[in-house]
Amino acid sequence: MATPMVRAEAVHKNFGRNEVLRGIDIEVAPREVMCIIGPSGSGKSTFLRCINHLEKIDAGRLWVDGELVGYQERGGRLHELPDREVCRKRSEIGMVFQSFNLFPHMTALENVIEAPVRVKRESAAVATERGRALLDRVGLGDRLDAHPRQLSGGQQQRVAIARALAMQPKLMLFDEPTSALDPELVGDVLNVMRDLAHEGMTMIVVTHEMGFAREVGDSLVFMDSGMIVEAGNPRDVIGNPQQERTKEFLSKVL
Amino acid sequence: MTELSADPPVPPGSTRVRPEAIRAVPLRHPWRWVSAVVVLIVLGAVVDTFATSSLHWSVVGQYLFDARILQAAVVTLYLTAIAMVVGVGLGILLAVMRLSPNRVMAWVSWLYIWFFRGTPVLVQLFFWWNINTILPYLSIGIPFTHVMVQASTNTLITPLLAAILGLGLNEAAYMAEIVRAGIISVDQGQTEAAHALGMRRSLVMRRIVLPQAMRVIVPPTGNETISMLKTTSLAYIVTLHELFTVQQDISNFNYKIIELVIVASIWYLAMSSVLTVFQYYIERHFARGSVRGLPPTPMQRLRRMLFQFHAAPPFGSAAEPDGEPWLPPAMPHSGM
């Protein structure tokens, strides 16, 4: 069997005395789209942020593409990775945030080519060419020179997706990408994500969009208070939940 | 974007017939008139007092473009520039140190700011000017060897260097706090997004955080520069030939004290006015991306005022007034 793209084993995380993750075990295969649902405060976003080491985990193990996240195992002990290595690994993982977090002092195109040029040391010409193509692909080929504030939320989020894709990541993390959008703008963003999934991108999507999870997701995880309550095929979990907590949650959101 | 038709269908219960414009009797404000008259009388009295004094305006005119005064004004300007460069550069360094996860860095920065903000700048200038009394020689050497460069402090600390040290090091403490406030003002999500792209701390600071912090940093820095322009007058204590020292040197000879103070004041005012204009355009430059449209320049404002005077949008029209820099966001064109 191929190495899983992401593997988590008993991942724990606490902020002070507050336990946010209490033993997460998952496996995401290459080309798989996994959706994570659950009430706010259930630890979904925190788990996503652990995967690219924006948060350090306190116990358990977490691998991306067969390599430990944030650490290196030598002589039976874990050693923290130097900053350079952490950054290199992050550069291979794309992340899309709920609040877009585009760089407001740069145009759409500048946002997209910043990391390829500064981090991967690509030539500006090559990065620009790919940046244009990516923005075109997310339907913003005509807004290259717009600043984020001149774009609608849906357009900003599509620029943010293009920005993440510009690094040619092997894994994409989406942290509630449509939660901050007006309902009529959600569709455009989901379409871009759907296309990406069809092209075989490995994706982990924290979302409240049950339609997307059912239609595009290969697997679905329901989290509550830092634990996985139920996981499986999205149609089964949504259509026929086994756990009481899952039923209760779904009855409120569907 | 779909075209807005000139006549959208009128929903039931609303009317498109425009009622008569309101023509009400305007409210009178008699106290505004009274207070304006009182203030003008006081102002007139002040002007009259000075006009009838024995002040010799001809002396002011005579010295306004005196070569010594002009040269001194240049000294004042470049002392301001150098002191601000030192202050801003060191201030950025101190601010980054203050926010560093390294406790020693943060503490040293705190100590510096505490010391240099807590003592008067005049005292600091005096200190640097007289440092030779406690350190007659300054030497740089390689420890545990006899390789050493030595210089007499007396020749090293010129009036200019003493002024730069005194003003620049003091300014750095204030700039550090301004820069720190700017850095903190940048949304945490920006740093996070940059880290997620694989950018390292120093790169994130340089490319993402500082450019955005500039919007918060620039306005107070402009004020600091204008303030520095005037504070340079304290350099008279280190005998630097800047504007204030030179006008005093001249009036020591001819006893036209107030006339020469006025000459200096005119130059200080002129220079700070020019700096204010610079400040406006620099602030405008760094507002890019933070507002939908940039604030208009005074010229643009004038042009628009003239234009809008006879181009008021017709009632019920959805069009933006002409000349508005604001661009409505285009609607996403790919439907669901």
Side-chain angles (χ1 to χ4, degrees), chain A residues 161-214:
Chain A
I161 294 173
R163 176 175 72 175
L165 291 176
M167 292 296 279
Q168 299 173 303
K170 54 187 178 187
L171 167 67
M172 285 284 286
L173 308 173
F174 291 87
D175 188 4
E176 301 198 26
T178 57
S179 298
L181 298 179
D182 288 344
E184 57 176 337
L185 304 181
V186 168
D188 293 318
V189 172
L190 291 183
N191 282 340
V192 169
M193 290 169 62
R194 188 176 291 125
D195 290 346
L196 202 56
H198 289 322
E199 284 162 30
M201 175 63 76
T202 313
M203 296 163 52
I204 303 180
V205 185
V206 170
T207 188
H208 293 298
E209 296 291 332
M210 294 302 155
F212 178 85
R214 183 161 38 197

Side-chain angles (χ1 to χ4, degrees), chain B residues 206-281:
Chain B
R206 197 157 50 80
R207 294 285 306 170
I208 308 299
V209 176
L210 279 180
Q212 293 184 61
M214 289 308 269
R215 198 167 48 86
V216 173
I217 294 172
V218 166
T221 305
N223 293 344
E224 289 291 310
T225 309
I226 290 166
S227 163
M228 176 63 81
L229 180 80
K230 294 169 292 172
T231 310
T232 54
S233 59
L234 292 180
Y236 85 94
I237 202 152
V238 300
T239 72
L240 181 72
H241 289 272
E242 46 68 53
L243 197 48
F244 185 72
T245 313
V246 167
Q247 67 80 22
Q248 218 180 16
D249 287 350
I250 297 173
S251 64
N252 279 345
F253 273 98
N254 63 10
Y255 301 110
K256 303 289 184 203
I257 298 169
I258 296 298
E259 285 80 358
L260 278 149
V261 164
I262 290 176
V263 166
S265 301
I266 290 172
W267 280 110
Y268 281 123
L269 257 179
M271 291 189 288
S272 56
S273 305
V274 170
L275 288 180
T276 309
V277 174
F278 273 130
Q279 184 184 12
Y280 179 83
Y281 281 95

